[in-house]
Amino acid sequence: MNGFIAPAIGDQIGVLLPYLIVAGGGLLVMLVDALVRTKRKDHLSFLTMAVLLLSVLAQMRGGFGGESVVLSGMLTVGDYSRYFNFLFVGCAVLTTVFAGAAFERSGRQRPEFFPLLLFCVLGMMVLAAASDLLTVFLGIETMSLSLYVLAGGVRGNVRSAEAGFKYLLLGGFASAFLLMGMALLYGFSGGTAFSDIARALAAGASDRGLAVLGGGLMLIGFGFKVAMVPFHMWTPDVYDGAPAYVSGFMATAVKAAGFAILARFACLMQPQLAFSWYPVLVGLAIVTMSVGNLVALAQNNIKRLLAWSSIAHAGYLLVGIVTLISPAAGNSGQMMLGREVGESAGAALLFYLLAYSLMNLAAFGIVGALSKADKEADEIERYAGLSRRKPLAAAVLAIAMLSLAGIPPMVGFMSKFYLFSAVVRAGLVPLAIVGVINSLVSVYYYLRVIVVMYMKQPEDGGYDSADTVAVSAAAVLAGLVLLLGVMPDSVHRAAQEIFRQITF
Amino acid sequence: MEAFLFFSCGALMLLGGVMMVLQRSAVVAALWLVFAFIAASGVFAALSAPFLAIMQVLVYAGAIMVLFLFVIMMLQGPVLEGERKRLALPMWPAVAIPPVAVLVLVGSWLSRRHAEALPVQPAGFGSPGQVADLLLGRYLLAFELISIVLLVAIIGALALGNRERKLPWS
């Protein structure tokens, strides 16, 4: 603790480079915006993309494999965090494209958008690598504070302001739960590092109740971020009120960040707290899937429909976490992730998050592309006849919907296949049956959008203008949805490899 | 002695928090919050963290709350007249919670008195030098991340609060 720290950081700078690039990039974009005074702001989105791509290069620089614990245990950087970082950066690049297109169309710039997006990505990257309660909290706060402004900052738009305000209030409330849980866990283990907590749990300290309570409160905080069911009430309002490009980012990257830390945390707490963790998570998974899908059936607003569908997908992902920590995956000592079940569950979780991000970004991208400056394209009825007016946009949205419903040959099918086969392999057949029934229910509301677009007679007032840039970006995503649906193997194998070497 | 200081300051802090929530006038609520912060600094002092205690008073009770009070007074201190009834209804917690909290605290203090004594802190514990060592050593990442969080908060406040929605730099 004494002694000068600079040399110690010098060794770790290579590992930290992607984080430094994203953080510095945020500052740079802000400065460039201040110094280059032009009416058009194209250069900002290009600069943001360049920063993000540079961080990808920095990620790949050191090669893959191996985990390194840096900055006195605050971060654990390895393939697990790298996978998530690629996912976050990918989502952020596409969000930059969609947002840039939306600004261009509306003629209203949001100068704060790009720096905040980069800081948000930084928060997520920290979260995916966090191995200390402090970094978990700061990562979540960096991410959330940026999101409150991203969601609520559309000029003169009351619904956006409402969304931002609701998210801020409820998010602050959830952070309080998270912090209280952290305080209790700190009291239990006497340290904030995950390794301290694991040690205290393994030692079987007497105040077990503290750990159960602290873990439970933290679960509430994480549950809020990933839209788990009793803590989901903000989701439809915020996704509906925020502009589509922000909603798409929140539904994909933010959810992935939440699950990145939830999976790590669940594995940390599992071994000794099996009796109190496992049934709770099973129950939450079932409720989340069912409520999300059932309420989505009744939606007439496509953004609310996608919000409820994202709640349902959080339920499927929770099933993945349940499988990851199930007794069959090994529940003594450290997670036995070398074992087959834990490995397939972890791989399924990672693959599902990627697949879900691809298809959901495509869907929100099309919604954003059809939107006008002051009115988002959210009424499903007005999509009637879109297949004739804007065939490409309709086709992309149809592919996204089919994939979300889990119909082959889209990637949504493969992700559900991997997930439920891992569930069955863990011996949790009832849970798999509930999941499959749920995804059957969900087919109805996804197909309804397609039916409206392709089979209903176009009426007056249908959406008829689409942004070319945004539609083509979404088309690329739809192409990836198809490609990964047909050839999922390489990505899935990489995900398996990540869980083969990992010890949380 | 430390235990007595800890529990009495803790009780006062709870009292300040509860009273702050139950106030109808924003100015009075802010003053109760100052009270709670000062009590919190007493808790820090009891935990042999003198530097944190002083900072708590200087930064929170001093600078930040004075700023708060100024803002509230500039906005003409909203008094929630319209909601008097709804606020008046659950007044019983105001009466019930502080004595219960005090009872709990006194009870836990009495039971703790016989437990092991507080560990003796090494010389210089909680001094500015040690705090700085931790902040710029072990907790460097947290320290830097907090500065990013504050930057985001500043950008957000500028972007949301400015009616023209033009940031100063553009």
Side-chain angles (χ1 to χ4, degrees):
Chain A
M1 227 158 288
N2 352 342
F4 198 48
I5 32 108
I9 290 193
D11 306 337
Q12 302 166 350
I13 209 105
V15 182
L16 293 174
L17 200 57
Y19 300 84
L20 296 175
I21 289 175
V22 174
L27 300 175
L28 182 73
V29 172
M30 224 162 76
L31 277 178
V32 168
D33 187 23
L35 297 175
V36 183
R37 295 173 176 278
T38 50
K39 199 94 187 97
R40 288 168 59 89
K41 299 274 186 191
D42 286 347
H43 57 282
L44 289 184
S45 57
F46 285 122
L47 189 60
T48 308
M49 275 187 254
V51 168
L52 289 168
L53 294 178
L54 201 62
S55 81
V56 169
L57 290 183
Q59 295 270 350
M60 308 209 289
R61 203 187 61 118
F64 295 94
E67 279 200 322
S68 44
V69 180
V70 291
L71 290 175
S72 46
M74 290 295 210
L75 291 180
T76 304
V77 179
D79 281 352
Y80 181 76
S81 65
R82 266 186 216 114
Y83 182 91
F84 277 103
N85 289 354
F86 289 142
L87 189 57
F88 302 148
V89 167
C91 291
V93 166
L94 281 151
T95 304
T96 312
V97 175
F98 292 139
F103 298 159
E104 194 71 20
R105 252 160 84 84
S106 66
R108 289 182 195 159
Q109 296 296 334
R110 289 178 66 186
E112 83 280 5
F113 185 86
F114 296 111
L116 286 181
L117 186 71
L118 284 172
F119 291 136
C120 188
V121 171
L122 175 72
M124 294 175 189
M125 286 166 69
V126 168
L127 201 52
S131 52
D132 190 296
L133 294 179
L134 267 178
T135 22
V136 171
F137 183 69
L138 288 171
I140 282 201
E141 284 308 294
T142 315
M143 174 181 95
S144 312
L145 270 181
S146 316
L147 282 174
Y148 302 145
V149 184
L150 291 183
V154 181
R155 204 177 310 179
N157 184 332
V158 182
R159 304 217 5 229
S160 157
E162 182 198 339
F165 194 60
K166 265 187 187 155
Y167 197 30
L168 169 72
L169 285 185
L170 294 175
F173 202 51
S175 289
F177 276 99
L178 190 67
L179 211 50
M180 190 68 207
M182 285 176 178
L184 291 180
L185 269 184
Y186 175 62
F188 166 76
S189 62
T192 53
F194 281 8
S195 53
D196 294 334
I197 297 169
R199 208 173 303 128
L201 282 171
S206 53
D207 294 339
R208 221 177 152 90
L210 267 186
V212 174
L213 195 59
L217 287 174
M218 283 185 72
L219 186 65
I220 293 177
F222 293 140
F224 176 85
K225 294 296 169 204
V226 300
M228 205 188 275
V229 149
F231 322 110
H232 67 291
M233 293 309 287
W234 58 277
T235 318
D237 289 346
V238 173
Y239 284 14
D240 182 24
Y245 50 90
V246 177
S247 309
F249 188 66
M250 292 208 305
T252 55
V254 176
K255 187 156 294 211
F259 272 101
I261 188 61
L262 187 56
R264 209 186 267 259
F265 186 71
C267 289
L268 169 77
M269 298 295 285
Q270 166 60 11
Q272 281 76 27
L273 296 182
F275 65 96
S276 45
W277 261 119
Y278 188 60
V280 171
L281 278 175
V282 171
L284 285 174
I286 292 174
V287 173
T288 306
M289 282 189 289
S290 311
V291 171
N293 278 321
L294 289 178
V295 182
L297 290 175
Q299 300 304 317
N300 286 319
N301 175 324
I302 193 161
K303 281 164 89 186
R304 292 187 90 84
L305 183 143
L306 285 171
W308 285 105
S309 115
S310 97
I311 294 171
H313 281 274
Y316 302 133
L317 286 160
L318 271 178
V319 171
I321 290 200
V322 166
T323 317
L324 186 63
I325 64 171
S326 69
N331 59 356
S332 58
Q334 281 283 336
M335 275 293 303
M336 293 294 152
L337 287 170
R339 296 225 190 134
E340 202 189 355
V341 173
E343 205 177 288
S344 61
L349 197 65
L350 292 190
F351 189 81
Y352 201 107
L353 281 168
L354 172 70
Y356 176 69
S357 300
L358 288 176
M359 53 210 191
N360 220 16
L361 267 181
F364 274 109
I366 292 297
V367 174
L370 296 171
S371 297
K372 296 239 170 60
D374 38 5
K375 189 78 191 82
E376 296 264 319
D378 50 10
E379 291 162 55
I380 294 178
E381 288 309 311
R382 289 172 65 187
Y383 279 75
L386 192 72
S387 59
R388 254 158 282 175
R389 288 192 303 270
K390 291 285 162 196
L392 182 60
V396 171
L397 192 54
I399 289 175
M401 288 294 160
L402 288 175
S403 181
L404 282 165
I407 290 170
M410 317 295 169
V411 71
F413 169 75
M414 284 318 292
S415 58
K416 277 191 181 133
F417 171 76
Y418 285 135
L419 182 70
F420 290 131
S421 58
V423 175
V424 170
R425 210 179 293 173
L428 305 169
V429 179
L431 202 54
I433 292 175
V434 174
V436 171
I437 290 176
N438 258 296
S439 65
L440 285 180
V441 171
S442 74
V443 171
Y444 170 80
Y445 60 82
Y446 291 127
L447 283 189
R448 198 178 127 220
V449 177
I450 299 178
V451 168
V452 169
M453 283 192 304
Y454 279 87
M455 296 173 194
K456 271 190 100 172
Q457 285 306 313
E459 294 162 18
D460 290 343
Y463 301 119
D464 52 4
S465 71
D467 188 89
T468 327
V469 178
V471 172
S472 10
V476 172
L477 280 171
L480 281 175
V481 165
L482 281 171
L483 184 73
L484 268 184
V486 183
M487 300 190 297
D489 218 36
S490 56
V491 174
H492 184 249
R493 217 174 306 131
Q496 244 168 347
E497 196 56 43
I498 290 171
F499 268 84
R500 193 163 292 154
Q501 20 167 289
I502 213 166
T503 44
F504 277 140
Chain B
M1 180 59 203
E2 279 98 347
F4 176 73
L5 197 61
F6 176 81
F7 285 115
S8 49
C9 284
L12 288 176
M13 197 170 132
L14 276 182
L15 177 78
V18 170
M19 292 306 285
M20 180 231 154
V21 174
L22 293 174
Q23 288 312 310
R24 216 167 277 128
S25 149
V27 176
V28 182
L31 288 174
W32 273 110
L33 194 57
V34 174
F35 181 83
F37 282 152
I38 291 177
S41 84
V43 173
F44 282 132
L47 292 172
S48 351
F51 180 66
L52 280 187
I54 293 170
M55 279 300 133
Q56 174 80 12
V57 174
L58 277 185
V59 177
Y60 277 93
I64 293 184
M65 284 317 294
V66 168
L67 201 66
F68 254 66
L69 277 174
F70 267 117
V71 172
I72 292 171
M73 286 172 176
M74 268 197 291
L75 298 174
Q76 303 292 326
V79 179
L80 304 176
E81 284 298 341
E83 298 188 19
R84 185 177 287 263
K85 259 195 182 148
R86 214 186 324 156
L87 275 178
L89 192 66
M91 273 306 272
W92 60 266
V95 187
I97 291 177
V100 171
V102 169
L103 271 183
V104 169
L105 289 170
V106 168
S108 53
W109 173 54
L110 287 176
S111 62
R112 274 292 161 94
R113 225 164 33 153
H114 304 293
E116 75 271 57
L118 289 172
V120 181
Q121 303 296 354
F125 177 85
S127 67
Q130 280 214 330
V131 173
D133 246 6
L134 278 179
L135 268 189
L136 297 178
R138 179 149 191 252
Y139 296 117
L140 180 69
L141 178 73
F143 187 64
E144 297 296 339
L145 268 179
I146 287 174
S147 63
I148 299 259
V149 171
L150 289 178
L151 179 67
V152 168
I154 294 171
I155 300 175
L158 285 174
L160 293 177
N162 201 331
R163 203 163 293 163
E164 294 294 311
R165 286 296 164 79
K166 266 198 173 159
L167 295 189
W169 66 75
S170 54

